[in-house]
Amino acid sequence: RYVDPQFERRVAIKTLPIGIDHPEMRWRFRRERQILSRLQHPNIASLFDGGTTDDGVPYIVMEYVDGVRIDTWCTRQRL
């Protein structure tokens, strides 16, 4: 794929964790990508792209949101 060096954007890239390569997890990941593609809300990170690497690992490219990781925030809130 062509990448334009004039275009810069900080993004978040989400992939399946290493070792979690089960058909059910791949299905859930694709489903998450489909759902995100339909959502537009100021409190939900925008989906920019998605696909599969040359090694077959699915990925999602999303809007980068500066702040505390969601799992860290949940732990701090004792959720």
Side-chain angles (χ1 to χ4, degrees):
R1 183 187 312 201
Y2 176 76
V3 177
D4 185 345
Q6 299 294 315
F7 182 75
E8 292 184 25
R9 174 179 268 171
R10 190 172 189 182
V11 297
I13 300 174
K14 181 177 180 177
T15 64
L16 281 177
I18 295 172
I20 309 286
D21 193 15
H22 303 293
E24 173 72 15
M25 293 304 293
R26 283 180 173 272
W27 180 85
R28 288 181 183 203
F29 197 85
R30 283 192 306 270
R31 183 74 178 128
E32 177 182 356
R33 189 169 59 199
Q34 291 169 346
I35 292 168
L36 282 172
S37 72
R38 289 186 237 127
L39 298 177
Q40 289 185 330
H41 189 277
N43 294 328
I44 299 174
S46 298
L47 174 70
F48 295 140
D49 197 7
T52 306
T53 66
D54 292 341
D55 296 337
V57 178
Y59 66 87
I60 300 172
V61 181
M62 301 173 66
E63 171 186 10
Y64 177 81
V65 178
D66 193 19
V68 178
R69 288 174 42 135
I70 188 91
D71 56 342
T72 302
W73 186 86
C74 289
T75 299
R76 289 179 184 168
Q77 301 300 314
R78 298 181 181 179
L79 300 178

